[in-house]
Amino acid sequence: MLEAYGTPLASRLFLGTSQYPSPAIMAEAVRRAGAEVVTVSLRRESGAGREGQAFWSIIRSLGVRVLPNTAGCHSVREAVTTAQMAREVFETNWIKLEVIGDHDTLQPDVFGLVEAARILTADGFEVFPYTTEDLVVGERLLDAGCRVLMPWGAPIGSGRGLNNLYGLRAMRARFPDVPLVIDAGIGLPSHAAQAMELGYDAILLNTAVAKAGDPAAMAEAFAGAIRAGRQAYEADPMPMRDMAEPSTPVMGTAFR
């Protein structure tokens, strides 16, 4: 069973809550995925007119763990302030930390990310950092107090899958005891299964489900793929070979 900051989680699918055709469809997708953790942006919560109260009521009715995020933040100060506000609103120390450095790819600003992570962990937050697959950055985030790493598979919303298999394998090998969650870029259930077969612990996704023709059905498909990928990893897959190896024994066969 996956454990994040001392919390056991039976489901290895973290699901985002934005971009769905309706709140009802979002709720059904969460239910069919069996997700125990959903990400929520502070911007969806109530402001002056308490517009977000209906959405927050739906989230509460699902009985899931909320992982607020700092989506859209481009500076350390903005990310830290957003995290502090999210803790007040959602009453949790969990925070998915995003500090965006590039407008086109939405690649993390890893320098700002490490700085913000250090500030937030010192303030009692349990930080889930959206990062790259860079091993040095991973080390710095762990040194800053993070106990989970969330490397991207590809740019957010791109649906490209796992762009850097070598880097992701290296990260899994370097941090064997750290929960690793693929965050961003997953477009198909097969992408999710591939990540789980590499030994990753969970998948966080949003767009691939929310933008599907049938979001609830797609959420269920992802849940199945993640379970299959994890089971395959735990079954110790056969190694790849450069040459063929007959599956039928040749001993005892007739020769001319």
Side-chain angles (χ1 to χ4, degrees), residues 17-74:
T17 57
S18 65
Q19 305 186 74
Y20 290 85
S22 72
I25 291 175
M26 179 274 293
E28 182 62 18
V30 173
R31 292 190 190 98
R32 288 181 62 176
E36 295 177 74
V37 176
V38 299
T39 61
V40 178
S41 171
L42 182 66
R43 291 165 178 79
R44 297 191 65 112
E45 186 48 32
S46 59
R50 301 183 67 82
E51 298 90 347
Q53 288 300 311
F55 173 80
W56 185 219
S57 295
I58 291 173
I59 295 297
R60 281 177 168 150
S61 72
L62 294 171
V64 293
R65 180 101 187 200
V66 174
L67 177 59
N69 64 40
T70 62
C73 293
H74 289 77

Side-chain angles (χ1 to χ4, degrees), residues 10-243:
S11 173
R12 295 175 182 270
L13 172 56
F14 296 8
L15 200 58
T17 57
S18 65
Q19 305 186 74
Y20 290 85
S22 72
I25 291 175
M26 179 274 293
E28 182 62 18
V30 173
R31 292 190 190 98
R32 288 181 62 176
E36 295 177 74
V37 176
V38 299
T39 61
V40 178
S41 171
L42 182 66
R43 291 165 178 79
R44 297 191 65 112
E45 186 48 32
S46 59
R50 301 183 67 82
E51 298 90 347
Q53 288 300 311
F55 173 80
W56 185 219
S57 295
I58 291 173
I59 295 297
R60 281 177 168 150
S61 72
L62 294 171
V64 293
R65 180 101 187 200
V66 174
L67 177 59
N69 64 40
T70 62
C73 293
H74 289 77
S75 71
V76 172
R77 181 177 180 180
E78 186 181 11
V80 169
T81 300
T82 300
Q84 292 168 337
M85 293 171 63
R87 179 162 62 181
E88 293 279 336
V89 171
F90 299 111
E91 301 178 331
T92 178
N93 287 328
W94 278 20
I95 191 73
K96 179 193 169 190
L97 179 60
E98 296 183 26
V99 183
I100 301 301
D102 183 78
H103 290 276
D104 293 328
T105 65
L106 301 181
Q107 180 171 329
D109 171 0
V110 295
F111 306 102
L113 181 67
V114 172
E115 182 181 351
R118 195 176 304 280
I119 293 169
L120 291 173
T121 54
D123 192 25
F125 282 89
E126 295 173 325
V127 178
F128 294 70
Y130 163 61
T131 183
T132 65
E133 68 279 16
D134 188 287
L135 300 183
V136 177
V137 175
E139 292 280 9
R140 298 292 184 270
L141 288 167
L142 295 176
D143 290 344
C146 298
R147 291 164 53 191
V148 175
L149 298 176
M150 303 180 71
W152 66 347
I156 294 171
S158 67
R160 296 182 59 85
L162 307 181
N163 273 355
N164 184 1
L165 284 173
Y166 173 82
L168 292 171
R169 284 195 186 99
M171 177 167 269
R172 178 71 283 176
R174 176 65 63 87
F175 307 116
D177 301 320
V178 176
L180 299 181
V181 182
I182 292 291
D183 177 14
I186 298 296
L188 294 169
S190 57
H191 298 158
Q194 184 182 29
M196 300 303 290
E197 288 167 3
L198 292 178
Y200 277 75
D201 296 285
I203 306 292
L204 193 159
L205 54 86
N206 189 164
T207 308
V209 169
K211 293 295 188 180
D214 186 338
M218 185 62 79
E220 188 174 356
F222 268 106
I226 288 169
R227 285 193 297 270
R230 182 65 186 185
Q231 187 173 4
Y233 170 73
E234 293 176 343
D236 191 14
M238 62 172 284
M240 289 190 293
R241 294 170 53 89
D242 292 328
M243 301 296 291

